[in-house]
Amino acid sequence: MGGLWGELGKKLADRWLSLLVLPGVLYLATAAAAHTLGQRHALDAARLIQEVTTVAKQPAVTGVGGQIVLVGAILIASAAAGIVAEAAGALVERLILAVGWKEWPLGLPVPAGWWVRRRQRRWDDAHRVYHEQRRLALAPDPADRPDPAVGRAALARRTRIALERPERPTWSGDRVQAVALRLDRDHSLDLATLWPYLEPVLPEALGARISEARAALARATTLAGWAVLYAPLAWWWWPAAPVALVLAATARHRTRSCADTYARLLDVAARLHLPDLAAQLGFDHAGPLTPDLGARLTHHLRSEPLPPPASADG
């Protein structure tokens, strides 16, 4: 048990250091530079060095007690900044995955709904062109067949918008939602209902990959949280603006990549291992996942509230 607690403490310390303290120290250094230099001397490195040297020579900093207090304050402030960034990242994640976006507060469903409808129109246009090109490609005479590049371009344009017809205002939200839509359409199953029962029966390696993909998605949105924290510093120090933009662009790319990986793993897990769940539940089924099995599993595991009691006449 001592070794277990020691290893656990080491992992927690590593996580605290890498995810909270180090990014927080960098943020505090940027904030200090913004406070010291301001807009007029934004790139004056000599001025920054002079100010840091002056502060470092003060008696309160050169003493051992002052150094201990200073290091402790930096660690606490860095961790606090990291916690705020994680909280902002959690909010960004909710916005990006857009689960339940129609219930968002502050009137946000109105512009989000407009954006969804716009994405749907663009997706419908690309979908129509793609299928028209596929139909024309079946013409008996090769001379009547269109350039395949047109169909490939329409497919790529449709995929950039969403894999399935958009239902959410974001690509990442639709990417995860597409898994549930396809499993419902192809196999008549409700992934949200079945997933809590499926997850425990997954192979350890696949379960670990899904957990890591989900954690990677959270880390990507935390990076967006850091971008949110850096943005206000541009009011005092303009170099913070490109830093925030780079962080936001990187977070967007990573979030899309992680959402795609996470969605693929969910799809793989459901299609390959739902028959294993059916076997554990005692279903008489052999072979791959079928619409009949999906419907039976969903009906078996879905729990509905009891109907209301019949009202007595008179």
Side-chain angles (χ1 to χ4, degrees):
M1 286 298 296
L4 176 61
W5 283 110
E7 185 65 24
L8 180 60
K10 181 181 178 182
K11 289 183 178 180
L12 290 176
D14 290 342
R15 182 184 184 278
W16 180 73
L17 183 65
S18 62
L19 298 184
L20 295 180
V21 175
L22 292 182
V25 168
L26 181 59
Y27 176 77
L28 291 181
T30 305
H35 179 268
T36 301
L37 298 178
Q39 301 290 13
R40 294 181 59 186
H41 307 282
L43 300 179
D44 192 344
R47 182 185 181 90
L48 180 61
I49 294 173
Q50 180 182 358
E51 292 291 337
V52 172
T53 302
T54 302
V55 173
K57 291 180 179 180
Q58 293 181 1
V61 178
T62 56
V64 176
Q67 291 176 355
I68 293 175
V69 172
L70 179 61
V71 171
I74 291 175
L75 291 177
I76 293 174
S78 300
I83 292 173
V84 173
E86 285 193 345
L91 178 59
V92 171
E93 180 180 308
R94 291 192 62 182
L95 294 174
I96 288 177
L97 295 182
V99 178
W101 63 269
K102 294 182 180 180
E103 284 75 39
W104 282 352
L106 305 176
L108 291 177
V110 176
W114 173 84
W115 186 251
V116 169
R117 291 188 293 274
R118 182 178 184 275
R119 297 180 71 237
Q120 287 175 342
R121 290 193 296 270
R122 293 172 56 219
W123 192 92
D124 290 340
D125 292 340
H127 188 60
R128 190 178 303 108
V129 172
Y130 171 66
H131 278 278
E132 179 65 17
Q133 293 299 309
R134 288 189 62 185
R135 185 186 66 81
L136 295 176
L138 300 177
D141 188 353
D144 296 332
R145 299 172 187 171
D147 184 359
V150 179
R152 289 195 297 267
L155 176 61
R157 186 165 62 253
R158 188 187 70 179
T159 303
R160 283 195 300 271
I161 301 169
L163 290 186
E164 295 286 336
R165 194 171 191 266
E167 292 187 356
R168 299 183 184 182
T170 63
W171 185 93
S172 296
D174 274 323
R175 180 64 188 93
V176 177
Q177 175 70 2
V179 179
L181 291 175
R182 290 180 171 184
L183 289 173
D184 182 35
R185 182 184 63 213
D186 300 342
H187 299 291
S188 302
L189 63 86
D190 182 359
L191 183 61
T193 297
L194 299 184
W195 182 253
Y197 304 93
L198 174 63
E199 189 175 14
V201 306
L202 295 177
E204 184 177 352
L206 179 56
R209 289 186 63 187
I210 292 175
S211 298
E212 174 55 31
R214 188 64 184 83
L217 179 59
R219 289 194 298 269
T221 55
T222 299
L223 190 62
W226 281 112
V228 172
L229 263 65
Y230 273 92
L233 297 181
W235 179 264
W236 296 278
W237 193 54
W238 66 260
V243 173
L245 290 175
V246 169
L247 288 175
T250 304
R252 179 179 182 273
H253 173 74
R254 288 187 181 179
T255 299
R256 286 195 167 202
S257 177
C258 292
D260 182 60
T261 301
Y262 179 60
R264 290 177 185 272
L265 290 173
L266 290 180
D267 196 32
V268 168
R271 294 179 185 271
L272 293 184
H273 296 286
L274 274 172
D276 300 337
L277 174 62
Q280 292 200 19
L281 292 174
F283 280 67
D284 183 14
H285 178 84
L289 180 63
T290 62
D292 176 68
L293 178 62
R296 291 165 61 199
L297 280 171
T298 300
H299 177 74
H300 180 73
L301 296 175
R302 177 182 288 159
S303 179
E304 296 287 348
L306 294 174
S311 59
D313 293 335

